[in-house]
Amino acid sequence: MDMKDLCAIARRERQQHIRTVLATVVHVEGHAYRKEGVSMILTEDGRHYGTISPGCLEEDLCGRVVSAWNSSTVQIIDYDMRPADDLSWGENIGCGGWLQILLEPVRGELENILDILDRRLEQGQVVRLTRSFSANGPQVDYILSSPGAAGTEIQLTGSMEEMPSPSADSQPLILAHDYAAEYVHANFHQQANHQFTFIRTYRAKPRLVLIGAGDDSQLVSSLAQAAGFHVVIGDWRGALCTTERFPGAVCVTGFPGELYTAISPQTGDYILLMSHNFPREREWIEHIQDCPYTYLGIMGSSERTRRLFEGLPYYPYVHSPVGLSIGADGPDEIAISIAAELIAVKRDRKLSAKEELSHVYRRTGTGSR
């Protein structure tokens, strides 16, 4: 569940007059289930959306909603699971790390911040949220900005003016990696006067364009959505390409030329061909020749893929046979191997060695062969 989902949930709960709190991991030392920057929504009636642990902290955090809502100071909760003899957390959570979690009642300025953030992510923008606060201080101060050129940012809240990037004088406690599971980059700074600054950058969900609405595409669509992708299904068979068969996805019906126009592939898209129709996929490949996609996965054997690209110029970022080599057998396991590969590419993880053969990267032993 990404931040855009949490923004929508916070708005829905607010409309139902249910008090909610945004919980955000701002500091981690040692091993932890999730990394700095991950958030979740907690409600006063004990529900939660999103996760920050394998399930051992959420109940405790839900029990803090009312006190956080009523508190007149900034609430930072410490969970220290590092001591080897700490049976209350160490064995149950299985992490052995130290987490600091910021609890923020969703009201007033934060409501406005989340609404703007939601709209900006819907527009595909990159948005940076800066929080400044002190432990037990009176409030959290927010700046929502859009990264600009030459070290400047466009402020999206307040005066809408250019502002310098955060001061380099502050001493970083944490520099989290830009892990693409949620397209997050988080920095935590502690300044000499005990003021804290937490910066997190959000990006919109990457889009997976899945060509082919057959039965084997259904689980791929579901898993890709769970992995943080916005899924678009394209097929010329209207009876198959429906939201009833692909809940949560956008369904577009048409032949390859029509699909290309309607979907309009763009920079950063992930494209997956699973129609099992050679002429249609060849036509689709010809249309995306100059498309700046990030990933092109093709179902089928290496020989079939070689024939698909025969006579065409070089295409980058081709994954065929599609899916990580996990020894997958059958459509369900193949779908899992495909989802795993999508996650690995999104996180910029180095995949297994590939050899280049006639315009296509080929991995031996993949489950979709």
Side-chain angles (χ1 to χ4, degrees), residues 128 146-154:
R128 179 170 294 145
S146 180
T152 64
E153 297 182 0
I154 306 302

Side-chain angles (χ1 to χ4, degrees), residues 206-228:
R207 187 169 67 158
L208 172 64
V209 179
L210 201 167
I211 303 301
D215 292 346
D216 58 348
S217 296
Q218 291 178 288
L219 184 55
V220 173
S221 173
S222 176
L223 291 173
Q225 290 179 60

Side-chain angles (χ1 to χ4, degrees), residues 30-348:
H31 177 72
Y33 183 68
R34 305 294 300 274
K35 297 180 174 60
E36 293 86 1
V38 67
S39 295
M40 61 184 298
I41 289 288
L42 312 169
T43 69
E44 62 180 328
D45 53 2
R47 290 172 291 122
H48 65 85
Y49 301 90
T51 59
I52 60 176
S53 79
C56 33
L57 299 183
E58 280 73 7
E59 183 177 354
D60 185 73
L61 286 169
C62 284
R64 299 175 183 269
V65 170
V66 174
S67 62
W69 185 274
N70 293 328
S71 176
S72 60
T73 62
V74 174
Q75 297 290 294
I76 302 176
I77 310 301
D78 285 87
Y79 293 104
D80 193 348
M81 291 79 66
R82 292 173 298 178
D85 58 349
D86 188 351
L87 300 182
S88 62
W89 293 113
E91 290 188 356
N92 293 332
I93 194 169
C95 294
W98 172 36
L99 285 77
Q100 289 182 299
I101 300 172
L102 175 66
L103 300 183
E104 303 165 277
V106 182
R107 62 189 178 201
E109 186 178 3
L110 183 57
E111 281 186 10
N112 181 49
I113 289 290
L114 295 183
D115 286 343
I116 297 174
L117 179 59
D118 187 27
R119 292 196 299 271
R120 296 287 173 162
L121 292 176
E122 180 68 28
Q123 297 166 3
Q125 298 185 22
V126 178
V127 185
R128 179 170 294 145
L129 176 57
T130 301
R131 296 171 171 94
S132 299
F133 57 91
S134 60
N136 299 316
Q139 65 183 20
V140 177
D141 294 320
Y142 303 97
I143 296 176
L144 199 61
S145 56
S146 180
T152 64
E153 297 182 0
I154 306 302
Q155 190 169 326
L156 305 178
T157 56
S159 62
M160 297 292 290
E161 62 186 2
E162 287 194 353
M163 53 174 286
S165 297
S167 171
D169 295 333
S170 55
Q171 298 300 314
L173 290 181
I174 288 295
L175 176 58
H177 293 291
D178 192 356
Y179 65 99
E182 294 191 27
Y183 278 64
V184 168
H185 189 87
N187 294 326
F188 189 35
H189 300 269
Q190 180 180 18
Q191 298 173 342
N193 57 0
H194 302 292
Q195 294 293 312
F196 296 86
T197 301
F198 184 71
I199 305 168
R200 178 172 172 178
T201 302
Y202 300 93
R203 293 173 175 83
K205 289 182 179 181
R207 187 169 67 158
L208 172 64
V209 179
L210 201 167
I211 303 301
D215 292 346
D216 58 348
S217 296
Q218 291 178 288
L219 184 55
V220 173
S221 173
S222 176
L223 291 173
Q225 290 179 60
F229 287 86
H230 173 66
V231 178
V232 178
I233 308 292
D235 202 297
W236 59 93
R237 299 163 292 186
L240 296 180
C241 192
T242 66
T243 54
E244 289 74 25
R245 285 172 49 79
F246 295 93
V250 174
C251 293
V252 183
T253 304
F255 292 104
E258 297 168 317
L259 290 176
Y260 181 82
T261 300
I263 295 174
S264 185
Q266 54 198 253
T267 300
D269 277 351
Y270 292 63
I271 300 173
L272 181 56
L273 305 185
M274 294 184 62
S275 73
H276 308 288
N277 185 297
F278 187 93
R280 303 287 187 220
E281 292 190 1
R282 168 71 183 211
E283 187 178 350
W284 179 261
I285 287 172
E286 291 174 352
H287 278 292
I288 64 171
Q289 179 174 328
D290 298 318
C291 174
Y293 57 80
T294 291
Y295 170 99
L296 176 57
I298 301 175
M299 177 71 80
S301 68
S302 299
E303 175 59 21
R304 180 181 184 274
T305 300
R306 185 194 64 77
R307 289 172 52 225
L308 275 174
F309 285 92
E310 196 166 26
L312 296 177
Y314 172 77
Y315 281 62
Y317 313 123
V318 175
H319 296 256
S320 176
V322 69
L324 289 188
S325 179
I326 61 173
D329 181 24
D332 290 352
E333 291 185 1
I334 290 172
I336 292 170
S337 76
I338 292 172
E341 183 170 75
L342 291 171
I343 293 170
V345 173
K346 189 174 68 165
R347 292 182 178 174
D348 198 26

